[in-house]
Amino acid sequence: MIYPTPEQLSENGKYNRYTLVIASAKCARAITDEYVEQRTVAEKLISNKETDKSIASMIKKEIRDEKAVTTAVNRLKDGEYVIADETVPEGTTM
């Protein structure tokens, strides 16, 4: 079971589970892309002998140690990512 629950993420029923799944998947994809970008930069620095750090130390701990979906759900919960759903009018609460 993942925390927070879908009910906690739905903002009092504003979003259905399908919307939450799509938003989480898009966030997870962005996090994976962020990881790949950071790893590529780290590998270039190491191959050019510009640093003596390890690859792991040059990648953000959050995206290096956690699963992408877990990080995405946490970012949605913390408000770092916002669900843009045009089907829900602004200011609407259910």
Side-chain angles (χ1 to χ4, degrees):
M1 192 72 167
I2 199 164
Y3 177 80
T5 63
E7 290 76 25
Q8 292 170 325
L9 284 176
S10 71
E11 295 181 17
N12 298 324
K14 184 176 178 181
Y15 302 114
N16 61 31
R17 286 179 185 251
Y18 177 79
T19 302
L20 294 173
V21 167
I22 297 299
S24 298
K26 287 182 179 183
C27 290
R29 186 70 202 145
I31 291 164
T32 301
D33 291 344
E34 185 179 346
Y35 173 83
V36 169
E37 181 180 327
Q38 288 183 16
R39 184 172 176 100
T40 302
V41 169
E43 288 173 346
K44 283 182 184 178
L45 290 173
I46 289 172
S47 69
N48 293 337
K49 300 192 190 302
E50 295 178 28
T51 186
D52 57 349
K53 295 180 180 179
S54 68
I55 289 176
S57 68
M58 291 189 277
I59 299 172
K60 285 184 193 176
K61 184 178 183 341
E62 175 191 36
I63 62 175
R64 180 189 71 215
D65 295 342
E66 295 289 329
K67 302 261 187 215
V69 173
T70 302
T71 303
V73 169
N74 288 330
R75 287 184 180 183
L76 283 168
K77 176 186 64 119
D78 295 339
E80 292 179 47
Y81 286 117
V82 180
I83 298 173
D85 185 7
E86 294 82 26
T87 62
V88 178
E90 279 297 311
T92 301
T93 56
M94 296 181 161

